[in-house]
């Protein structure tokens, strides 16, 4: 063999040897890394001791007047299978499904057993849709069990859910109007900010080319009620927010796509239009003065439910989107979930608040999360759930020392008479 050929063969053999060694070394490193990761993963020392879920009711038919009566469309609105404002069978099933998912999540976190009858309690508002939602949630959360579902007589104002109607706080409407205008920049500015969504809604409604808008709304205005105990909003946001919600409800109800906004809007368009619905909360629940009063009794119920001596390990507070957004505002968190405009709470959407104990230090913490299902999950009755941890303003971290959490929330809600 020629010296050059012999040298080439020896070089090739040497390279093969080192490549094989390199491969074995990489395999060994990967194995060691995997073992190190497994060994470095600490067992959890965080125990969930109490939890409360502040939740919006399930998918419902439109409310009376939710679409203003003078709204123009080129085709009739679709029919619903139930009476106005009632939870639909599809909505009840969606609640049962998300309740089962919640049960497994809380069981995985150590709060409740995976099966059997849990230590849970449900408080609903006094409307038919919230009561029906509470029962549907109970069926999915603990099949075959009896969970206490408490509510006031139908129609009676419950201060936890309707503090202004119940006159539960020292609410001053004139002070509220001043505070809202200061924090929003005024109603005309609010309407201007949502001009693109208003134009898109006109296209979906199909009343053009009249050119004056499909929803005659008048000039935007915010005024105090005559008795000084409530506020009244008029203008484009008030007139269109409910329409945007009805279009979303058509989608999540599972109606044929040709019937959802007459086939003129897709899921991305619904998210954009959802900003009109969320704009209502920019007036009624998000401003600091409104949040303090709208979440006053609710905030105290949450604090009681998270207390170490609370009578139940898990409480469900079944109310409305106004309740979820008011509490979020008091906590200083934004509600951002896949498929929805920011602060537009979907049916079944909820704030999950947990009391957690660190077994090593003995310290207790509060953790707040936003639990939702996407529009497609609701539409197709999927168990897929999104849980987004939130940082309470003033805490800085996901785990907020319980004493600090209590102090912050108490400082941001109004006293209850």
């Amino acid at each position: 063999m020629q010296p050059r050929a012999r040298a080439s063969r020896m070089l090739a053999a040497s390279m093969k040897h080192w490549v094989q060694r390199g491969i074995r070394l990489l395999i060994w490193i990967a194995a060691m890394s995997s073992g190190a990761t497994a060994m470095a993963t600490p067992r959890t020392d965080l125990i969930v001791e109490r939890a409360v879920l502040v939740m919006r009711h399930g998918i419902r038919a439109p409310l009376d007047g939710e679409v203003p009566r003078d709204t123009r469309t080129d085709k009739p609105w679709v029919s619903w299978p139930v009476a106005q404002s009632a939870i639909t069978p599809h909505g009840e099933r969606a609640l049962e499904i998300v309740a089962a998912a919640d049960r497994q999540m809380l069981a995985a976190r150590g709060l409740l057993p995976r099966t059997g009858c849990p230590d849970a309690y449900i408080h609903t508002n006094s409307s038919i849709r919230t009561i029906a939602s509470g029962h549907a949630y109970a069926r999915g959360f603990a099949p075959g069990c009896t969970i206490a579902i408490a509510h006031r007589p139908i129609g009676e104002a419950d201060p936890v859910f309707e503090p202004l109607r119940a006159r539960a706080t020292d609410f001053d409407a004139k002070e509220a109007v001043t505070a809202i205008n200061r924090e929003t920049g005024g109603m005309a500015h609010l309407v201007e900010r949502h001009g693109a969504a208003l134009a898109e809604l006109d296209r979906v409604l199909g009343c053009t080319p009249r050119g004056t808008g499909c929803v005659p709304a008048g000039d935007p205005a915010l005024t105090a009620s005559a008795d000084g105990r409530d506020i009244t909003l008029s203008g484009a946001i008030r007139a269109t927010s409910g329409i945007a919600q009805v279009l979303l409800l058509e989608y999540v109800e599972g109606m044929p796509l040709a019937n959802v906004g007459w086939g003129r809007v897709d899921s991305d368009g619904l998210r954009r239009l959802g900003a009109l619905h969320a704009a209502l909360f920019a007036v009624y629940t998000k401003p600091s003065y409104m949040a303090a009063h709208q979440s006053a009794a609710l905030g105290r119920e949450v604090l009681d439910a998270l207390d170490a001596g609370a009578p139940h390990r898990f409480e469900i507070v079944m109310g409305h989107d106004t309740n979820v957004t008011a509490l979020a505002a008091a906590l200083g968190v934004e509600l951002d979930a896949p498929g929805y405009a920011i602060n537009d709470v979907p049916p079944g959407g909820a704030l999950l608040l947990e009391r957690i104990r660190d077994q090593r230090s003995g310290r207790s913490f509060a953790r707040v999360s936003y639990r939702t299902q996407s529009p497609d999950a609701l539409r197709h009755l999927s168990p897929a759930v999104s849980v987004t941890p939130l940082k309470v303003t003033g805490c800085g971290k996901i785990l907020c020392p319980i004493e600090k959490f209590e102090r912050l929330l108490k400082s941001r809600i109004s006293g209850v008479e």
Side-chain angles (χ1 to χ4, degrees):
M1 182 179 295
Q2 295 296 325
R4 180 173 295 179
R6 185 181 300 111
S8 297
R9 181 171 295 181
M10 291 176 63
L11 178 61
S14 176
M15 289 178 65
K16 182 178 180 180
H17 168 75
W18 286 108
V19 166
Q20 290 174 340
R21 285 197 62 181
I23 291 172
R24 287 195 297 270
L25 179 62
L26 289 173
I27 293 173
W28 179 81
I29 291 173
M32 290 300 292
S33 297
S34 175
T37 300
M39 289 185 292
T41 301
R43 66 180 181 84
T44 179
D45 288 295
L46 300 176
I47 303 298
V48 179
E49 297 182 313
R50 295 285 187 277
V52 56
L53 196 70
V54 178
M55 186 171 177
R56 185 190 178 188
H57 57 71
I59 300 164
R60 57 160 174 79
L63 306 173
D64 183 21
E66 193 164 20
V67 175
R69 301 189 191 285
D70 56 358
T71 299
R72 296 192 300 268
T73 63
D74 66 341
K75 295 179 183 179
W77 288 90
V78 297
S79 298
W80 284 74
V82 294
Q84 290 178 334
S85 82
I87 301 298
T88 66
H90 182 95
E92 290 194 8
R93 183 59 190 139
L95 286 168
E96 293 170 357
I97 289 170
V98 78
D102 287 346
R103 175 69 181 273
Q104 294 309 304
M105 174 182 65
L106 293 172
R109 295 184 178 191
L111 179 68
L112 301 169
R114 291 185 180 275
T115 59
C117 296
D119 180 10
Y121 166 78
I122 300 177
H123 177 193
T124 84
N125 194 17
S126 55
S127 67
I128 292 174
R129 64 184 179 276
T130 52
I131 296 169
S133 295
H135 283 280
Y137 190 90
R139 289 195 299 272
F141 193 78
C145 298
T146 299
I147 294 180
I149 301 176
H151 58 81
R152 296 194 174 204
I154 292 176
E156 181 180 310
D158 185 328
V160 169
F161 302 98
E162 299 177 272
L164 301 191
R165 187 164 80 91
R167 301 197 170 189
T169 72
D170 57 350
F171 182 81
D172 184 312
K174 290 183 178 180
E175 188 176 349
V177 169
T178 300
I180 294 166
N181 283 327
R182 181 177 61 249
E183 293 185 32
T184 61
M187 297 304 98
H189 178 68
L190 190 63
V191 171
E192 182 181 354
R193 213 160 62 222
H194 294 283
L198 290 168
E200 183 167 5
L201 181 61
D202 272 351
R203 180 190 62 76
V204 173
L205 294 174
C207 74
T208 52
R210 297 190 186 189
T212 57
C214 301
V215 192
D219 294 331
L222 180 67
T223 58
S225 62
D227 63 3
R229 303 293 300 183
D230 206 346
I231 57 174
T232 301
L233 175 66
S234 59
I237 297 302
R238 173 76 272 182
T240 61
S241 62
I243 299 174
Q245 179 66 180
V246 169
L247 294 172
L248 175 66
L249 290 170
E250 290 175 350
Y251 188 86
V252 298
E253 170 66 8
M255 291 185 178
L257 291 176
N259 290 346
V260 177
W262 304 277
R264 300 186 187 116
V265 63
D266 58 13
S267 56
D268 286 339
L270 290 171
R271 178 181 51 77
R272 292 191 296 271
L273 293 177
L276 295 174
H277 190 236
L280 201 64
F281 309 127
V283 175
Y284 281 93
T285 59
K286 189 173 183 182
S288 54
Y289 186 87
M290 297 301 294
H293 289 270
Q294 294 278 41
S295 63
L298 173 59
R300 280 165 175 76
E301 178 142 344
V302 165
L303 291 171
D304 288 345
L306 293 179
D307 186 80
H312 302 283
R313 291 179 65 80
F314 183 45
E315 179 175 341
I316 301 97
V317 182
M318 184 67 73
H320 310 271
D321 43 17
T322 50
N323 304 130
V324 180
T325 56
L327 182 60
L331 295 172
V333 298
E334 296 278 17
L335 302 176
D336 191 1
Y340 303 101
I342 294 175
N343 295 321
D344 188 19
V345 180
L351 280 172
L352 172 65
L353 303 101
E354 301 165 284
R355 182 190 181 98
I356 299 172
R357 180 169 54 85
D358 183 339
Q359 292 191 102
R360 289 183 176 178
S361 66
R363 297 183 66 197
S364 293
F365 299 88
R367 178 170 62 193
V368 181
S369 305
Y370 186 37
R371 197 274 289 131
T372 60
Q373 290 189 285
S374 72
D376 283 329
L378 290 171
R379 179 177 176 82
H380 300 295
L381 296 177
S382 164
V385 169
S386 171
V387 181
T388 305
L390 303 173
K391 291 182 181 179
V392 175
T393 297
C395 281
K397 296 182 179 180
I398 297 299
L399 291 181
C400 182
I402 193 69
E403 299 85 359
K404 189 172 187 178
F405 175 83
E406 292 172 348
R407 186 169 63 254
L408 286 170
L409 184 52
K410 286 178 180 177
S411 71
R412 296 170 185 170
I413 59 178
S414 174
V416 178
E417 294 178 345

